[in-house]
Amino acid sequence: DPAGHDFLYGDALDWLRPFTIHYHYQPQVMILQEDWYTQGVVWLHLAALAGIGALGYALAWWCFTHRDLPAPL
């Protein structure tokens, strides 16, 4: 399938998919099912996205507080 991901990446990189935000961003369940909040998998994906976002903010804060800027004259 030239248009699919198997053509570009193959099965060798499939184990990396759960480590991307694109894997965890799945709004279809919330849109199509009224009782989406009863499904534990949805909450796991939301927790993963929140954790990735918090980690990004923490890394940005750390970089911002440790930058080496000269004092103003």
Side-chain angles (χ1 to χ4, degrees):
D1 180 20
H5 82 285
D6 288 337
F7 177 74
L8 296 174
Y9 306 112
D11 293 331
L13 297 178
D14 277 348
W15 65 274
L16 289 173
R17 286 192 69 234
F19 298 105
T20 66
I21 60 170
H22 305 290
Y23 176 79
H24 292 287
Y25 180 68
Q26 298 180 3
Q28 299 88 351
V29 177
M30 289 186 248
I31 294 170
L32 297 175
Q33 298 178 5
E34 290 184 24
D35 63 343
W36 63 267
Y37 50 84
T38 62
Q39 299 178 14
V41 170
V42 174
W43 292 106
L44 288 175
H45 287 300
L46 288 174
L49 288 172
I52 291 168
L55 182 66
Y57 274 107
L59 180 63
W61 174 77
W62 183 84
C63 289
F64 184 76
T65 58
H66 287 88
R67 53 191 191 154
D68 189 20
L69 294 176
L73 297 176

